[in-house]
Amino acid sequence: MSDAELIKLYTNLNPEQKEAVDTIEGPVMVIAGPGTGKTTILTLRIAQILRKTDTPPSGILAITYTEAGVKAMRQKLRVLMGSRADEVN
């Protein structure tokens, strides 16, 4: 997992976004308009969960409403964690 990339993306978040990323226990719902960083927040949260717990990538389910969102999230996950990103549901 690329810690440098994760840190770079994390430092650009506002306090509310950081709270969503740092909440690794329980569900989190992110409701925001287009272009506000929802995919980045969810991607970073997945990376944090994988870094800070013993949860396997296959134990995570990320839901988005569009195929474009799925592709964007998978691409961002690949940057952070390589081919293991394909194990996230």
Side-chain angles (χ1 to χ4, degrees):
M1 188 174 301
S2 172
D3 287 338
E5 186 66 26
L6 191 140
I7 291 167
K8 177 182 162 189
L9 291 170
Y10 185 83
T11 57
N12 291 326
L13 302 178
N14 66 39
E16 292 81 13
Q17 291 170 323
K18 287 179 181 177
E19 180 181 1
V21 170
D22 293 337
T23 304
I24 61 171
E25 295 292 329
V28 169
M29 183 182 299
V30 176
I31 301 172
T36 57
K38 294 179 299 296
T39 302
T40 298
I41 291 167
L42 294 173
T43 303
L44 289 173
R45 183 167 189 253
I46 291 167
Q48 287 285 59
I49 291 168
L50 295 174
R51 288 176 74 227
K52 295 184 175 187
T53 72
D54 60 353
T55 303
S58 61
I60 294 177
L61 173 64
I63 299 174
T64 185
Y65 291 102
T66 66
E67 283 297 316
V70 171
K71 290 177 185 177
M73 192 176 302
R74 179 102 37 224
Q75 183 179 23
K76 288 181 182 202
L77 278 172
R78 283 185 185 126
V79 169
L80 295 173
M81 53 190 291
S83 63
R84 292 187 64 209
D86 295 328
E87 298 173 38
V88 175
N89 296 304

